[in-house]
Amino acid sequence: MNLTLLILIPLLTAVAILFSKELKQVRAIALGGALIQLLLAFAFLYLYLQARAGGNNSPMLFEDNYAWFTALHINYHVGVDGISLAMILLTAFVVVAGVLVSWTMENMNKEFFFLLLLLSLGAYGFFISLDLFTMFFFLELSVIPKFLLIGIWGSGKKEYSGMKLALMLMGGSALVFIGLAGLYFNTAVAGGSYTFDLMEIAALDIPVDVQKIFFPFAFLGFGIFTAIFPFHTWVPDGHASAPTAASMFLAGISMKLGGYGCLRVATFLMPEGAEAWSWVIILLSTIAIIYGAFATMMQTDLKYINAYSSVSHCGFVLLGIGMLTQTSITGAVLQMVSHGLMTALFFAAIGMIYSRTHTRQVAQLGGLLKVMPFISSVFVIAGLCSLGLPGFSGFVAEMTVFMGSWQNPDPWYRLATILACASIVVTAVYILRATGKTIMGPINDNHKMIGDAGWNEKLAAVLLISGIVVIGVVPFWLNDLIQPGTTLIMTKFFK
């Protein structure tokens, strides 16, 4: 199968939506396109596992390589390994859930679903790209739809939040481009030509001094996308102002672009740079974990609670990468998938609550379990996954990060691991308190007649919950899927 289908399907779906005339048509096309993406993701997973079982040990599978701009040696080079496939599956799940949650969207519905699908196109293109310039192209493609989704369909200070998000992410993109350019101009070995090809660069010995200079640019640039401290401030405002589906995309998919880039580009291509700067990554990620947890405790708005908790949870991703052990890096990938599903579910539940109660303030809610048992149950499940309850994906991911982090013998790194572990207690406090005040206790008189979830919302929630539970109960399949990719990365540190 051709990986370009993952780009063509969202593109054709988005174009078809623009030519639709009725709301029913728009919904049907958007959902149909999203379901095809999900089926494609599972088809690629099946074929990938078959190829591996058949003895195909190539670093990347389903490769296609075509010249795009020969003067600069830029190619349309795509391929996937287990890490890429995990991100593709996550994207497909969130896309379907996002479309279902937005089923009742009536204000400029064509444009809304068009931008939503454009976001998915950018994500797929980014995850399958093996050419750094092509990867950067798809990274940039995903920024503007976020700005428009927040600025047009958002709430509160949406113009400010959308502009802040766009400017900070573009700043991150500028840093990424400097890092990529630094790599590019140091790839011409023995009179050869420059290249953006990721696998070709990985086979080269980039000078250590060059790695130490350009690694911070690439890692920090991608890190801004995944809420690295102190460049995380776009996250709370952006998530709080975004419409529900956009929040699901931002936290569930877009923030994973940064984590994937930190791992696949910065760490894989500049291993000596990663080792030299690992102490900075550990310091910033530990601060993000602790700060994000305590900042969440201070919030009274459900969206801000989930947004600040995302800063903390994404800190585990960067911590796992920074520790530079195979187990910790595996945990980082698991955390990206787990957090993507969990936070999308959380934002979906918050959106369902807000659409019925017209408030996200915890103090104005209460007793919702009596009138909306399904939505309340979804809220509880998302919360329990967030605090790392065994049986859910959050437990598997965080424990893998902790175990891998402890394998690094440096005493200061082990201190960081202990501090990160301690944040679980704070997470339990704010999750249980928010859950108790929102769905337990006496009900607000204004909320006694509200209804529970519709069929579309139930289907979206069940889809995301199934992913969380499957990873939590039988995590070995995902671990086995990503292991060849993490092994390839670790070979760069044991040459």
Side-chain angles (χ1 to χ4, degrees):
M1 287 180 68
N2 196 315
L3 285 171
T4 305
L5 288 171
L6 288 169
I7 298 173
L8 287 178
I9 295 301
L11 179 61
L12 294 175
T13 306
V15 172
I17 284 173
L18 290 182
F19 287 96
S20 302
K21 296 181 179 180
E22 299 178 355
L23 179 57
K24 288 183 179 180
Q25 281 184 322
V26 173
R27 291 171 175 169
I29 294 172
L31 181 58
L35 289 173
I36 292 173
Q37 293 176 38
L38 184 60
L39 291 174
L40 271 176
F42 277 113
F44 279 115
L45 175 64
Y46 174 75
L47 293 173
Y48 178 89
L49 294 176
Q50 267 198 331
R52 290 300 190 205
N56 189 338
N57 295 318
S58 300
M60 297 291 168
L61 270 60
F62 313 123
E63 284 191 70
D64 281 308
N65 196 349
Y66 304 103
W68 186 7
F69 188 34
T70 53
L72 296 178
H73 301 281
I74 296 172
N75 291 349
Y76 174 75
H77 185 191
V78 295
V80 294
D81 64 356
I83 299 174
S84 310
L85 269 177
M87 296 297 106
I88 289 169
L89 282 167
L90 168 63
T91 303
F93 268 74
V94 177
V95 169
V96 175
V99 170
L100 287 169
V101 167
S102 307
W103 200 253
T104 57
M105 172 67 66
E106 294 185 359
N107 177 33
M108 299 175 66
N109 54 80
K110 288 200 298 186
E111 292 80 1
F112 180 85
F113 283 113
F114 174 83
L115 292 172
L116 217 55
L117 288 161
L118 203 59
L119 270 179
S120 68
L121 184 155
Y124 288 126
F126 182 84
F127 291 134
I128 67 175
S129 292
L130 295 179
D131 181 276
L132 296 183
F133 188 89
T134 308
M135 182 181 284
F136 181 78
F137 169 81
F138 284 110
L139 181 70
E140 287 294 275
L141 186 64
S142 68
V143 174
I144 299 304
K146 301 172 193 173
F147 168 72
L148 294 175
L149 285 167
I150 295 173
I152 298 174
W153 292 275
S155 58
K157 46 183 183 179
K158 57 184 183 180
E159 291 86 0
Y160 165 81
S161 300
M163 185 63 71
K164 183 177 183 179
L165 176 145
L167 291 176
M168 291 197 71
L169 294 187
M170 286 182 175
S173 297
L175 293 176
V176 167
F177 188 77
I178 293 172
L180 300 187
L183 278 173
Y184 175 77
F185 286 111
N186 284 277
T187 56
V189 179
S193 58
Y194 297 118
T195 181
F196 277 110
D197 192 280
L198 187 144
M199 300 308 293
E200 290 181 8
I201 297 174
L204 300 175
D205 289 321
I206 303 296
V208 175
D209 290 341
V210 172
Q211 294 188 37
K212 289 181 179 179
I213 293 172
F214 291 103
F215 175 85
F217 287 99
F219 196 95
L220 182 60
F222 283 119
I224 291 174
F225 280 79
T226 196
I228 192 171
F229 181 89
F231 303 100
H232 64 281
T233 55
W234 65 269
V235 175
D237 291 326
H239 288 339
S241 297
T244 300
S247 293
M248 293 167 66
F249 271 65
L250 281 172
I253 300 174
S254 295
M255 292 178 73
K256 308 306 170 287
L257 303 181
Y260 182 86
C262 287
L263 181 60
R264 178 73 79 197
V265 178
T267 304
F268 180 49
L269 299 184
M270 294 178 279
E272 283 87 357
E275 289 180 321
W277 289 94
S278 63
W279 68 273
V280 177
I281 301 171
I282 302 303
L283 177 63
L284 295 181
S285 59
T286 305
I287 293 173
I289 291 168
I290 298 171
Y291 162 80
F294 279 103
T296 307
M297 287 184 64
M298 308 300 294
Q299 305 307 311
T300 59
D301 183 301
L302 289 177
K303 270 201 168 184
Y304 273 99
I305 289 173
N306 196 23
Y308 273 103
S309 71
S310 292
V311 174
S312 181
H313 284 100
C314 285
F316 289 117
V317 174
L318 298 178
L319 181 72
I321 296 173
M323 287 293 180
L324 299 178
T325 70
Q326 183 164 358
T327 304
S328 69
I329 288 176
T330 299
V333 178
L334 290 172
Q335 178 69 358
M336 282 193 276
V337 178
S338 171
H339 179 261
L341 294 170
M342 177 271 295
T343 198
L345 182 67
F346 225 144
F347 274 123
I350 293 169
M352 295 177 204
I353 292 172
Y354 179 74
S355 67
R356 290 160 174 81
T357 63
H358 305 294
T359 182
R360 298 192 305 253
Q361 294 298 317
V362 174
Q364 298 174 13
L365 298 169
L368 297 182
L369 186 61
K370 300 173 183 177
V371 290
M372 49 174 77
F374 182 87
I375 296 175
S376 298
S377 299
V378 171
F379 190 87
V380 171
I381 291 172
L384 294 177
C385 180
S386 179
L387 61 82
L389 187 75
F392 294 113
S393 59
F395 174 79
V396 173
E398 290 179 10
M399 288 305 105
T400 307
V401 171
F402 295 151
M403 295 294 289
S405 298
W406 192 257
Q407 290 176 3
N408 192 312
D410 188 294
W412 291 107
Y413 287 15
R414 289 192 170 182
L415 176 61
T417 305
I418 293 171
L419 293 174
C421 289
S423 71
I424 296 176
V425 178
V426 184
T427 302
V429 171
Y430 67 70
I431 289 295
L432 295 176
R433 185 171 63 182
T435 302
K437 290 185 177 181
T438 301
I439 70 170
M440 303 296 184
I443 189 171
N444 188 315
D445 290 338
N446 297 326
H447 303 155
K448 289 183 177 179
M449 302 303 294
I450 58 179
D452 206 356
W455 70 269
N456 55 303
E457 295 166 321
K458 289 180 179 178
L459 188 56
V462 168
L463 181 67
L464 295 172
I465 291 171
S466 65
I468 289 170
V469 173
V470 167
I471 296 173
V473 176
V474 283
F476 58 84
W477 69 271
L478 184 55
N479 181 76
D480 292 345
L481 177 66
I482 64 180
Q483 187 175 10
T486 57
T487 300
L488 178 65
I489 292 171
M490 292 310 298
T491 58
K492 300 288 289 183
F493 295 93
F494 301 103
K495 294 187 292 185

